[in-house]
Amino acid sequence: MKVHLLQIPQGETCHLEGEENAAALGLEDAGATAVSPLYYSLDAGVSEGGLFVTGRASVRVRMQCVVCLAEIELDIVADPFAMQTELTGREQIDLTPFVREDIHLLLPPHPRCDAGAECAVADTGCAGRDSPAGAGSAWDALDMLKN
């Protein structure tokens, strides 16, 4: 995702909207897999030798619940997305590293299916849910070890 500075009118902003292949985000390094393209809606402008970009970027990812190990899908949304960088004589600037950093910072470090997503194995009593009917507590199992 590159911004060509010559396309931005002096003293104005340029609107950039579309989608990019999410492979450039390197989500696999963080234990996530993109299941959608990277969508973006950004406004870019030049001011006093620097480029500023604001807007929104989002991608849908698949991760594994750390409690029940089910595959879950989460929407990762950088809204507001904002960045600023010096121009230093360049004609174009690649926004991918800036967007990648924001998306990675928004990924949950310990994704859980009970944190806003629907649990794929709700009958197992994933963390934060009621235990299935008739199931004993974990303490009952520990008490049996004493005997």
Side-chain angles (χ1 to χ4, degrees), residues 41-108:
S41 177
L42 306 170
D43 292 312
V46 177
S47 175
E48 299 181 20
L51 172 74
F52 65 90
V53 180
T54 60
R56 171 187 168 100
S58 65
V59 65
R60 186 162 183 85
V61 300
R62 181 177 299 122
M63 298 182 85
Q64 189 174 46
C65 174
V66 296
V67 177
C68 67
L69 303 179
E71 294 278 322
I72 57 175
E73 290 188 6
L74 305 166
D75 290 318
I76 307 300
V77 181
D79 186 14
F81 169 78
M83 58 82 51
Q84 181 177 348
T85 188
E86 291 183 24
L87 297 178
T88 61
R90 297 182 278 182
E91 290 183 17
Q92 68 179 8
I93 294 182
D94 188 4
L95 300 179
T96 306
F98 300 102
V99 173
R100 178 181 331 144
E101 181 179 7
D102 275 21
I103 295 293
H104 275 259
L105 289 172
L106 290 169
L107 289 172

